[in-house]
Amino acid sequence: MECWEAQELLEGIDFGAISADDALAVEAQRHQGECSTCRSALSQRLVWNARLADAMTDVSIPDGLESRLLEQLAPIIPAAVAVPLSRSSRRRWIVALATIASLMLIAALWQPWNPPASVVSLAIVDTHIASDLTDLTPYDQPAWKPELPRVWRSFFQLQPDLVHHFPAGTPSVLSVAAMVPFEFRASAAATPIRGRLVMIPASHFREPPEDGDFSAVTEVEYIPGFNRCVWREGNWVYICYVRSVGGAELHELMQLMRGSRNFT
Ligand SMILES: [Zn+2]
């Protein structure tokens, strides 16, 4: 047995993918007993695994990693199961299983920082946007500090007291989505435009849009009681909801912000 094969098998035993008393596993363990290269390789790998687990607590998760991994693995598993196994293909199958186990370990390590509950979809936000503000709790998520969209910073300051966890009841799953109510008046006499701005880290939003800017948004949708638009700036996805009476309030807000900016 060669060193690389013994090492794959030994790791497979550690992950529980291969029974320790399987003939190949026994052979790998015997090899390890006689091979100092494999013994030091394995102890280095254990140290590396521990460092990897540590490092991953601070890393953001690539979008769709889990589904991509499962797609990659799907063709391997049925083929291996369907074909009657000769001794050499059985060996390959077990090594493949050990590799799958390594991939699964990586997928499992990513999991705790990407629980499905913290991924917010547009439909979820739409459903809860009319919630009573008194049902929402103050935003308190040290890992994420919501920022106003670039264009908005000329008109608003983000008051920490007004930023809420969103939707209601989510602090229990450490929601990272934030919501702030706003009111915009073109002049003292003008009818105020009222709405709610939802801010979600792009890594926690299902299918985030391409990078853009509020002043370049063209698509406005209508849901009961509101006009809304969605855009992304870097790490944040923004969804702006405007209370709609006549239907054109969001377009009006965009025009007012664009127009005022031209004078500054
Ligand atoms: Zn060896």
Side-chain angles (χ1 to χ4, degrees):
M1 178 174 286
E2 292 180 44
C3 288
W4 68 267
E5 198 178 3
Q7 287 168 26
E8 292 285 10
L9 289 163
L10 290 165
E11 199 158 330
I13 297 168
D14 277 355
F15 298 148
I18 304 166
S19 159
D21 49 19
D22 181 280
L24 274 175
V26 171
E27 202 181 324
Q29 283 162 328
R30 191 184 315 122
H31 174 101
Q32 189 194 20
E34 296 162 357
C35 174
S36 60
T37 310
C38 278
R39 280 197 301 277
S40 73
L42 199 70
S43 66
Q44 276 168 19
R45 197 183 292 201
L46 293 176
V47 170
W48 188 85
N49 283 348
R51 277 201 201 137
L52 180 69
D54 268 349
M56 278 181 176
T57 56
D58 295 322
V59 178
S60 65
I61 305 102
D63 292 329
L65 172 71
E66 191 189 357
S67 55
R68 285 205 306 279
L69 276 176
L70 290 174
E71 261 171 36
Q72 294 285 321
L73 294 175
I76 300 173
I77 300 166
V81 173
V83 176
L85 300 171
S86 68
R87 183 165 161 73
S88 71
S89 69
R90 194 176 105 80
R91 174 179 287 234
R92 235 180 296 134
W93 182 63
I94 289 183
V95 173
L97 258 187
T99 308
I100 291 168
S102 313
L103 290 172
M104 286 301 189
L105 175 74
I106 291 171
L109 282 172
W110 286 112
Q111 275 303 311
W113 296 280
N114 190 19
S118 73
V119 174
V120 182
S121 69
L122 189 55
I124 289 177
V125 182
D126 280 353
T127 307
H128 293 92
I129 194 61
S131 316
D132 201 300
L133 279 185
T134 54
D135 291 340
L136 304 178
T137 46
Y139 194 78
D140 177 25
Q141 172 56 263
W144 293 97
K145 198 173 168 352
E147 285 176 7
L148 283 177
R150 283 183 292 267
V151 174
W152 290 49
R153 290 174 210 162
S154 311
F155 304 95
F156 295 103
Q157 277 194 329
L158 197 56
Q159 299 287 343
D161 300 351
L162 294 180
V163 184
H164 299 81
H165 273 289
F166 185 85
T170 46
S172 57
V173 293
L174 286 177
S175 166
V176 291
M179 191 270 269
V180 65
F182 66 86
E183 181 180 302
F184 188 95
R185 278 174 199 262
S187 68
T191 308
I193 297 173
R194 294 198 177 95
R196 293 177 167 191
L197 178 71
V198 178
M199 300 165 277
I200 306 167
S203 54
H204 289 71
F205 188 71
R206 185 161 309 219
E207 297 168 10
E210 294 290 303
D211 211 36
D213 194 89
F214 181 63
S215 57
V217 170
T218 52
E219 202 174 315
V220 172
E221 291 194 62
Y222 303 91
I223 64 164
F226 293 93
N227 306 159
R228 68 135 155 76
C229 65
V230 184
W231 75 103
R232 172 186 183 166
E233 293 178 26
N235 293 330
W236 290 90
V237 169
Y238 297 102
I239 312 171
C240 172
Y241 291 83
V242 166
R243 297 268 180 201
S244 176
V245 184
E249 288 85 350
L250 183 50
H251 282 295
E252 199 184 327
L253 178 70
M254 288 172 175
Q255 273 167 10
L256 286 167
M257 282 194 177
R258 279 176 206 152
S260 308
R261 235 172 27 135
N262 291 340
F263 292 109
T264 58

